[in-house]
Amino acid sequence: MRKNQSSPALARAARNTYFKVIQTDKRVHWWQFLANVDSQSVWDARKISAGRAPDHFPTLENTSSPTEINNTLLQHLFPPRPSPPPPLILPAFKVVPPVLQAEVSSGLRKTSNTLAPGPSGIPYSIWKQVHKANERLLPSLFTPLLTHWYHPLAMKKANGIVLDKPGKPNNRTPASIRIIVLLETGSKILERLSAHRLASAPHSVGLLHPNQCGSLAGRGYFDTVATLTHEGHILQAASFKVSTLFLDVKGGFDNVCANKPAYTRTKGGVSAYLVAWIKSFLSKRQCQLIFRGAPKVFCPVAVGTPQGSPISPLLFVLYIASLHPTIPKGLAISYVDDLTITVSSDSVRSNIRPLQYIFGIIQRRGADLGVAFSVPKTELIHRRTPKYCSDVSFAPIVINDMLFPPGQAVRWLGYWLTLTIQSSGHFLRLLTLAKASFTTI
């Protein structure tokens, strides 16, 4: 009995001795490691002692100071473009629905307290506490901004966190640098409210094309892929040969220009105060780059629609609505900045010329908006039915003097589209990748 009673005490003593020995050995090994560091391993010691990788100081070619690095990165990340004309001084709009407490509460529920704040350092948790303490405060601040269609300069400032692009062999060029933009949380609350108000109008006034998906309620990536496959099956059922061209808009949100009237039309119910506020929101934006040794000064930048803004995806979708042409025996459908052109005819080779012609139309429309396509990312696929699975065509297409042969499968929106456009092809591809990952473990 005494032996059983002493067993827990012996176990605790053995456990404590075990961890003390490990701690002592770690300490001895650490001091031995420090005693033998050289010019290479000293940085490993610095990383271990800090508990994380030290901040990286970017070194770019033809730069000799942090200020020159800052200016070079700004020129690359935010290339200059024609600035919009200064807004006219107009009286306040008389008919502006006031911001309701329920709108603010709904917008705050969709935010995360863990997101990094902007230059002011105010996280969403503070705004939630403010709104909980006084539900009339934020509505009383936001309503005048919409009424006077004005977005304050302090709410247009952002921090740009400079990071290396993974997998880049050379980090001495601006192209090897990426940026994470941190916007003011207070501004993003108002942007979310404005996006909700704007989203209620385009469906009924024709600002959106019916085949646009993404950033819109009820139009997710699954709906896009399902529509693309369904329309292809319908055309194949009519004994047509179907071909699809996959395009990618270059630059995405950065292409939106406040001078263009693509999304500022007020016909049919889009309130004029929202159009005016959007122009103010997109103009005179500033950003300070954050990296080791950065001068940390706010500089004017041309950003199109700001990265990370709740309203940016909707503005971009509205902006490129005119890129969708009408195709008699085909379909043009997009998911945000991913666009597809599907045509059909009696033969696959006969589909090449219509695809080239339609791409030319879209490219010209995009040029009018300042939108270009990343042509090297273009992909082509010639569909076939399971019945005629051996009828494979290798007819290529030439886009901007670049030759693109058809692929056997295209990964679009995370979904593998095979030649027969069957769901089994997607899941078989995922199963193959899963097996390959297991074999490498």
Side-chain angles (χ1 to χ4, degrees), residues 334-346:
S334 68
Y335 184 86
V336 191
D337 58 350
D338 293 305
L339 181 67
T340 67
I341 307 171
T342 299
V343 299
S344 64
S345 65
D346 294 333

Side-chain angles (χ1 to χ4, degrees), residues 71-351:
N71 294 337
T72 301
L73 290 176
L74 285 174
Q75 289 289 323
H76 174 76
L77 299 170
F78 306 103
R81 57 176 58 128
S83 58
L88 300 176
I89 301 177
L90 298 175
F93 289 99
K94 296 181 179 180
V95 182
V96 176
V99 176
L100 304 177
Q101 299 174 11
E103 288 182 280
V104 177
S105 299
S106 176
L108 286 173
R109 279 196 299 269
K110 299 177 182 179
T111 61
S112 173
N113 295 340
T114 61
L115 291 180
S120 67
I122 302 176
Y124 279 118
S125 58
I126 297 298
W127 293 116
K128 291 178 181 178
Q129 294 178 23
V130 169
H131 187 60
K132 183 178 180 180
N134 187 348
E135 293 186 345
R136 294 179 296 177
L137 180 60
L138 292 180
S140 65
L141 293 176
F142 292 153
T143 299
L145 297 181
L146 296 178
T147 302
H148 295 273
W149 48 279
Y150 175 70
H151 202 66
L153 295 178
M155 299 175 70
K156 300 179 185 180
K157 294 182 177 180
N159 286 338
I161 310 300
V162 176
L163 302 172
D164 291 335
K165 287 184 178 179
K168 290 290 184 179
N170 181 13
N171 61 355
R172 293 181 57 83
T173 63
S176 65
I177 300 296
R178 62 189 177 101
I179 183 173
I180 303 297
V181 178
L182 303 180
L183 304 176
E184 289 288 5
T185 53
S187 174
K188 292 172 73 173
I189 299 173
L190 178 58
E191 295 161 29
R192 193 179 298 275
L193 300 179
S194 301
H196 179 73
R197 293 189 175 190
L198 184 62
S200 62
H203 297 283
S204 59
V205 299
L207 295 184
L208 283 172
H209 192 276
N211 294 339
Q212 283 186 281
C213 301
S215 305
L216 301 168
R219 299 191 189 185
Y221 76 93
F222 178 80
D223 304 281
T224 315
V225 175
T227 302
L228 180 64
T229 56
H230 177 70
E231 292 297 326
H233 290 321
I234 290 179
L235 293 171
Q236 288 178 327
S239 300
F240 290 119
K241 304 297 183 181
V242 182
S243 301
T244 301
L245 193 66
F246 298 84
L247 305 172
D248 181 76
V249 176
K250 185 178 181 180
F253 296 173
D254 294 338
N255 293 317
V256 176
C257 179
N259 288 335
K260 303 294 183 180
Y263 60 90
T264 58
R265 294 171 290 177
T266 59
K267 66 175 184 179
V270 177
S271 302
Y273 78 90
L274 274 178
V275 174
W277 177 85
I278 290 171
K279 289 184 177 180
S280 176
F281 167 72
L282 295 178
S283 64
K284 296 183 178 180
R285 303 199 65 88
Q286 295 182 335
C287 181
Q288 68 171 352
L289 298 183
I290 306 296
F291 58 88
R292 189 178 182 184
K296 294 185 179 181
V297 293
F298 285 99
C299 300
V301 293
V303 297
T305 57
Q307 177 192 129
S309 170
I311 199 174
S312 289
L314 178 57
L315 292 180
F316 178 76
V317 170
L318 291 172
Y319 190 74
I320 66 169
S322 61
L323 298 185
H324 297 70
T326 301
I327 305 175
K329 293 186 293 184
L331 175 73
I333 188 170
S334 68
Y335 184 86
V336 191
D337 58 350
D338 293 305
L339 181 67
T340 67
I341 307 171
T342 299
V343 299
S344 64
S345 65
D346 294 333
S347 67
V348 169
R349 291 191 175 273
S350 300
N351 291 338

